[in-house]
Amino acid sequence: MKIAILPGDGIGPEVTREAVRVMESLGLPGLTLFEGDVGGIAYKRHGVPLPEETLQIALGSDAVLFGAVGDPECDGLERHLRPEQAILGLRKELDLFANLRPAKVFAGLEHLSPLQPDIAKTLDLLIVRELTGDVYFGDKGERVANDGSPEGWDMMSYSANEVSRIARVAFRAARAAGKGVTSVDKANVLETSQVWRDTVKEAAGPHPDIELEHMYVDNAAMQIISRPSQFGVILTGNLFGDILSDLASAAVGSIGLLPSASIGERKTDHGIFGLYEPIHGSAPDIAGQGKANPMATVLSVAMMLRHSFSREEEAARIEAAVAKALADGIRGGDLGGTHGCEEIGGAIIERL
């Protein structure tokens, strides 16, 4: 089991260290870890945010555990040298086109959600977001409008092949979870979304036992807040997925509890290659102070064991240990508690 550990910047090394401690406590056979520099620390040491050595470490592994990138000292750099380019480069080089973002409110934390507690407790969904297409990666530019004023333009597009492969990921996730799929688009006004909807319908053919629903993105945003219990797996494009995943994350009450996975179709000897990371940033204001909550990174390890190593039992054990720690009042500052990073990691290991 070869895993690339890329701690990154800010609180990345702290939360990653605790996640590795949790992973090592499981006694997994053949576990081998390789560490590399990414982000601001990589720029300071190597002159680029994603050194070739780090990329090769990632390419030679079965999975990547990623911390966070972002360093205020690098804000003045040219865009291609900024820390954030590391994660974009990894996604491109590793062909990671599907982002998996679970959003779940843990028992006892309903009061931290902006939703009413009786609604918050029903939130337990997975957003499958396409990562490498859509308007973010289309042609774009500026021009002069007919009235002589500046005008910006961006091209949105999806090919049927791009939609088919992300749909396969969503249906596979839905089958594993025993849930249905809600495909989110804006087919009433966008031709891109019409192709998306038609292709998803076709992709559903081999999965007649999985319920498929189509929903416009504006309605989906409203329904996530008003009746989240209706959703199992939400399948959507890059732009809509960016917005809806952040909306669902806010409804949980703290980004310190939310893991994510970026996967493709590359197979390993154990499962599917993927990059796993917490959704939070590098939080430079608390870096090095031991205050960060490592639970999101620990839960990212659970996702890694499930998807890249087919170890459902160990993944479920980690998730149960995190839930038990929270129920026992082990909480970081993001949850109104006083427990530190190392203390939280130790508490999770005790409950394993």
Side-chain angles (χ1 to χ4, degrees):
M1 298 175 63
K2 296 178 291 184
I3 301 173
I5 308 296
L6 310 180
D9 306 319
I11 64 172
E14 301 167 50
V15 296
T16 303
R17 186 183 309 117
E18 296 310 309
V20 168
R21 280 213 301 149
V22 171
M23 180 166 51
E24 290 179 332
S25 74
L26 293 170
L28 299 168
L31 180 63
T32 307
L33 307 180
F34 304 88
E35 187 165 325
D37 294 329
V38 288
I41 189 66
Y43 172 77
K44 292 174 180 178
R45 291 175 177 173
H46 309 278
V48 290
L50 180 59
E52 180 63 26
E53 177 184 350
T54 299
L55 179 59
Q56 291 305 316
I57 289 173
L59 288 168
S61 67
D62 298 312
V64 175
L65 180 63
F66 191 91
V69 290
D71 184 341
E73 295 180 5
C74 298
D75 288 348
L77 296 174
E78 295 180 37
R79 186 171 300 277
H80 71 283
L81 295 175
R82 293 180 187 175
E84 295 75 17
Q85 295 302 309
I87 186 65
L88 298 178
L90 282 167
R91 288 172 180 170
K92 178 181 178 181
E93 294 294 335
L94 301 174
D95 195 23
L96 306 175
F97 61 83
N99 183 230
L100 311 184
R101 284 272 293 267
K104 176 182 179 180
V105 174
F106 285 88
L109 300 184
E110 296 87 355
H111 65 288
L112 297 176
S113 171
L115 305 180
Q116 295 179 5
D118 60 328
I119 295 177
K121 69 181 181 182
T122 68
L123 178 65
D124 185 5
L125 56 83
L126 174 69
I127 295 178
V128 178
R129 167 192 171 191
E130 204 285 329
L131 272 182
T132 59
D134 209 339
V135 69
Y136 289 0
F137 292 89
D139 291 339
K140 57 188 84 255
E142 295 184 8
R143 59 195 174 198
V144 178
N146 292 334
D147 62 2
S149 64
E151 180 180 66
W153 62 274
D154 300 88
M155 178 179 172
M156 171 185 280
S157 66
Y158 266 122
S159 70
N161 287 339
E162 289 175 312
V163 180
S164 292
R165 68 178 187 173
I166 190 70
R168 288 194 292 270
V169 173
F171 283 110
R172 186 168 65 234
R175 182 172 302 283
K179 297 181 177 180
V181 173
T182 301
S183 179
V184 173
D185 58 43
K186 194 63 176 171
N188 55 337
V189 295
L190 298 175
E191 289 299 324
T192 300
S193 282
Q194 189 60 58
V195 171
W196 177 282
R197 182 172 291 211
D198 293 343
T199 306
V200 170
K201 288 179 180 178
E202 184 176 346
H207 311 281
D209 56 320
I210 297 179
E211 183 179 355
L212 172 63
E213 179 185 15
H214 299 275
M215 188 175 292
Y216 296 142
V217 63
D218 43 353
N219 185 32
M222 181 177 66
Q223 295 294 329
I224 288 174
I225 296 302
S226 61
R227 197 162 65 88
S229 60
Q230 67 184 288
F231 296 108
V233 174
I234 294 177
L235 165 64
T236 192
N238 208 346
L239 175 61
F240 299 153
D242 191 359
I243 297 168
L244 293 181
S245 58
D246 282 353
L247 175 69
S249 300
V252 170
S254 171
I255 58 175
L257 295 174
L258 295 168
S260 75
S262 297
I263 64 174
E265 293 184 320
R266 173 184 161 194
K267 300 286 182 64
T268 71
D269 292 339
H270 308 279
I272 297 175
F273 181 89
L275 182 149
Y276 303 86
E277 61 179 320
I279 72 163
H280 60 67
S282 59
D285 56 319
I286 61 170
Q289 300 177 33
K291 296 179 178 180
N293 182 356
M295 286 181 169
T297 314
V298 171
L299 291 169
S300 295
V301 169
M303 292 189 76
M304 179 177 66
L305 293 175
R306 175 174 290 119
H307 294 286
S308 287
F309 296 103
S310 303
R311 289 185 169 272
E312 175 60 34
E313 180 182 350
E314 288 90 346
R317 284 183 62 202
I318 290 176
E319 292 165 345
V322 170
K324 183 66 167 63
L326 288 168
D328 291 342
I330 306 298
R331 300 176 188 181
D334 60 311
L335 299 173
T338 59
H339 294 85
C341 189
E342 186 175 353
E343 190 177 6
I344 294 172
I348 295 171
I349 292 171
E350 289 176 7
R351 285 153 183 79
L352 280 172

